[in-house]
C-alpha cells in the first residue's frame, strides 16, 4: 500500500503542475458521457427545480461522493436494480455552480441541455448567464477527454494464445470509446466530436450495429504504437478519476512492454496475463487514494 501511495504521489504531482489541468473540463467530459439535465415541462401545477445528473456504476460510488463533496449540494440516488448510483444536483445554488463550471467547456450536442438550464436560471432567478459556444480547441489542451473516457471509454489487454488455435501469438492493448450516433433530444450527430477524438488518437471512427437492439453506434479503438504513446502522454498529464484509473495504470504496464518490444518475452507474457486477470470485471481490490487529488 505504501508503494501504491508513492506511485499516486508521483503520478499526480506531474499533472497538478500543469495549469491547464482543470476540474471544470473533466466534469464537462464526464457529464457529456454519462450525464443529463432534466427540466420540468411548463404548465404543471407543482414546480420542481431542474436536475443535473451523472450516472455511475456502483463500483464508482466513491467518485460520485467526491464530486458531491466538491459541488457542495445535491444527493446520491441509488438504482440498485441497475447496480448504479446517480449524482443529482437540484438546489439553485448547486445548479449555478455547475453552470459556472461547465459553461464553455462542452463539445457535444448535450450543450442544448445546458442552454435550457441557463434559460431556466435566467428566467426564474435573474441569473443573467451568457451561453458560451461549443469548445473547439485541441483535445490535448484540457482534461475533457479524461472525463469522457471515465464515462464511455474502456481499457483492454488482448492475448491470443497458440494453444487456442491461433497461428501466431498476439498481445495488444486497446482503448475503446463508444457513443450513440444521434443525441435523442436535439437530434444532432456526435460525429464531429468523435471524429476529433479519433483524429487525436490516430485511429478510425467506425459505425457498428448492436444486435440486441438493432441500433447503430459509433465506436473507435486505438491500439497502434503511435496511438498508445498519445494515450499515455495525455493521461499522464490529465488523469482519470474513476476506477478506470486503476485499470489504466495496469494497462500501461503492458503498453510499456509493447513500446520496447518486450511483450513477447517470458516476463512480458507473464505480466500480460497477470494484468488481464486483474482488470475491469476481474478487479477485486480498489484503492481510491487518487481521489485525494481531485479538487476544484
Amino acid at each position: 500500500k505504501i508503494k501504491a501511495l508513492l506511485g499516486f504521489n508521483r503520478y499526480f504531482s506531474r499533472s497538478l503542475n500543469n495549469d491547464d489541468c482543470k476540474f471544470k473540463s473533466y466534469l464537462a467530459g464526464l457529464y457529456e458521457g454519462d450525464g443529463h439535465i432534466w427540466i420540468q415541462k411548463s404548465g404543471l401545477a407543482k414546480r420542481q427545480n431542474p436536475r443535473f445528473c451523472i450516472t455511475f456504476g456502483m463500483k464508482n460510488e466513491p467518485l460520485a461522493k467526491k464530486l458531491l463533496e466538491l459541488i457542495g449540494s445535491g444527493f446520491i440516488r441509488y438504482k440498485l436494480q441497475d447496480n448504479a448510483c446517480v449524482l443529482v444536483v437540484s438546489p439553485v445554488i448547486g445548479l449555478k455552480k455547475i453552470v459556472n463550471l461547465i459553461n464553455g467547456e462542452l463539445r457535444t450536442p448535450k450543450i442544448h441541455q445546458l442552454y435550457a438550464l441557463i434559460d431556466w436560471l435566467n428566467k426564474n432567478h435573474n441569473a443573467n448567464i451568457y451561453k458560451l459556444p461549443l469548445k473547439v480547441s485541441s483535445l490535448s489542451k484540457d482534461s475533457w477527454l479524461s472525463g469522457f473516457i471515465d464515462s464511455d471509454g474502456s481499457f483492454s489487454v488482448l492475448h491470443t494464445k497458440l494453444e487456442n488455435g491461433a497461428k501466431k501469438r498476439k498481445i495488444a492493448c486497446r482503448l475503446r470509446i463508444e457513443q450513440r450516433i444521434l443525441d435523442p433530444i436535439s437530434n444532432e450527430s456526435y460525429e464531429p466530436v468523435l471524429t476529433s477524438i479519433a483524429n487525436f488518437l490516430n485511429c478510425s471512427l467506425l459505425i457498428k450495429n448492436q444486435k440486441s437492439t438493432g441500433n447503430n453506434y459509433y465506436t473507435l479503438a486505438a491500439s497502434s504504437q503511435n496511438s498508445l504513446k498519445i494515450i499515455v502522454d495525455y493521461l499522464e498529464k490529465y488523469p482519470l478519476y474513476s476506477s478506470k484509473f486503476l485499470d489504466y495504470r495496469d494497462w500501461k504496464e503492458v503498453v510499456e512492454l509493447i513500446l520496447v518490444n518486450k511483450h513477447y518475452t517470458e516476463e512480458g507474457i507473464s505480466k500480460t496475463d497477470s494484468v488481464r486477470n486483474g482488470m475491469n470485471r476481474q478487479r477485486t481490490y480498489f484503492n481510491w487514494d487518487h481521489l485525494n487529488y481531485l479538487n476544484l
Side-chain angles (χ1 to χ4, degrees):
K1 290 185 178 180
I2 292 175
K3 182 179 179 182
L5 183 56
L6 290 173
F8 286 139
N9 288 337
R10 287 194 295 269
Y11 181 90
F12 284 95
S13 63
R14 291 195 296 270
S15 65
L16 289 174
N17 286 334
N18 191 306
D19 293 335
D20 292 330
C21 185
K22 298 178 180 178
F23 172 78
K24 59 183 182 179
S25 54
Y26 172 80
L27 181 64
L30 201 63
Y31 156 72
E32 294 198 272
D34 273 338
H36 71 276
I37 298 172
W38 175 87
I39 299 179
Q40 184 183 45
K41 293 181 180 179
S42 59
L44 298 179
K46 185 178 179 181
R47 295 177 59 184
Q48 298 184 50
N49 284 359
R51 298 174 197 152
F52 173 89
C53 307
I54 301 178
T55 301
F56 302 85
M58 274 303 298
K59 67 180 179 181
N60 282 302
E61 180 190 20
L63 174 57
K65 288 183 173 180
K66 178 67 176 184
L67 292 171
L68 178 62
E69 173 191 326
L70 293 172
I71 294 167
S73 63
F75 61 94
I76 305 293
R77 178 165 59 91
Y78 292 90
K79 302 170 67 176
L80 298 181
Q81 70 277 13
D82 298 322
N83 195 32
C85 61
V86 185
L87 168 66
V88 181
V89 180
S90 58
V92 171
I93 188 172
L95 293 173
K96 286 182 177 180
K97 188 168 187 177
I98 292 292
V99 170
N100 182 59
L101 287 167
I102 68 174
N103 191 21
E105 299 294 332
L106 301 189
R107 297 175 181 265
T108 78
K110 286 189 180 179
I111 196 170
H112 296 292
Q113 296 180 42
L114 178 69
Y115 284 173
L117 174 58
I118 291 174
D119 287 340
W120 186 91
L121 288 169
N122 288 343
K123 178 181 178 181
N124 294 283
H125 295 275
N126 299 314
N128 196 29
I129 301 170
Y130 180 73
K131 299 173 187 174
L132 298 178
L134 281 175
K135 196 168 189 177
V136 295
S137 60
S138 172
L139 290 167
S140 66
K141 300 300 184 183
D142 64 32
S143 53
W144 182 90
L145 185 55
S146 291
F148 199 70
I149 291 172
D150 260 344
S151 286
D152 288 339
S154 63
F155 297 92
S156 60
V157 176
L158 311 176
H159 184 188
T160 304
K161 301 180 181 181
L162 297 176
E163 53 263 36
N164 292 339
K167 294 181 180 180
K168 184 179 179 181
R169 184 188 297 276
K170 183 177 180 181
I171 292 174
C173 288
R174 180 175 65 194
L175 167 63
R176 183 189 296 276
I177 297 175
E178 297 178 348
Q179 182 57 263
R180 69 182 76 212
I181 289 180
L182 296 177
D183 176 64
I185 295 179
S186 68
N187 209 37
E188 291 185 6
S189 175
Y190 275 84
E191 182 179 8
V193 67
L194 290 175
T195 297
S196 294
I197 296 172
N199 289 340
F200 174 56
L201 298 181
N202 192 38
C203 63
S204 299
L205 178 64
L206 303 174
I207 295 177
K208 291 195 174 182
N209 181 265
Q210 189 175 34
K211 293 182 180 179
S212 60
T213 63
N215 295 329
N216 291 334
Y217 62 94
Y218 285 121
T219 181
L220 60 88
S223 60
S224 70
Q225 287 201 18
N226 189 28
S227 295
L228 297 178
K229 290 176 184 177
I230 292 169
I231 294 165
V232 170
D233 286 345
Y234 175 80
L235 292 179
E236 293 297 300
K237 192 174 183 181
Y238 301 111
L240 303 169
Y241 289 99
S242 75
S243 62
K244 290 174 189 175
F245 167 73
L246 305 176
D247 292 326
Y248 162 72
R249 290 182 81 230
D250 291 345
W251 176 88
K252 190 181 73 167
E253 292 186 33
V254 182
V255 169
E256 290 172 342
L257 291 173
I258 291 174
L259 295 180
V260 294
N261 199 31
K262 290 185 177 180
H263 49 308
Y264 290 122
T265 64
E266 184 177 345
E267 180 183 353
I269 292 171
S270 176
K271 170 59 70 176
T272 297
D273 287 339
S274 174
V275 167
R276 276 170 50 85
N277 292 333
M279 284 180 63
N280 300 321
R281 294 181 181 179
Q282 283 72 45
R283 182 174 300 281
T284 58
Y285 174 70
F286 295 83
N287 183 324
W288 291 97
D289 289 341
H290 59 285
L291 286 183
N292 295 328
Y293 299 91
L294 180 58
N295 296 293
L296 282 172

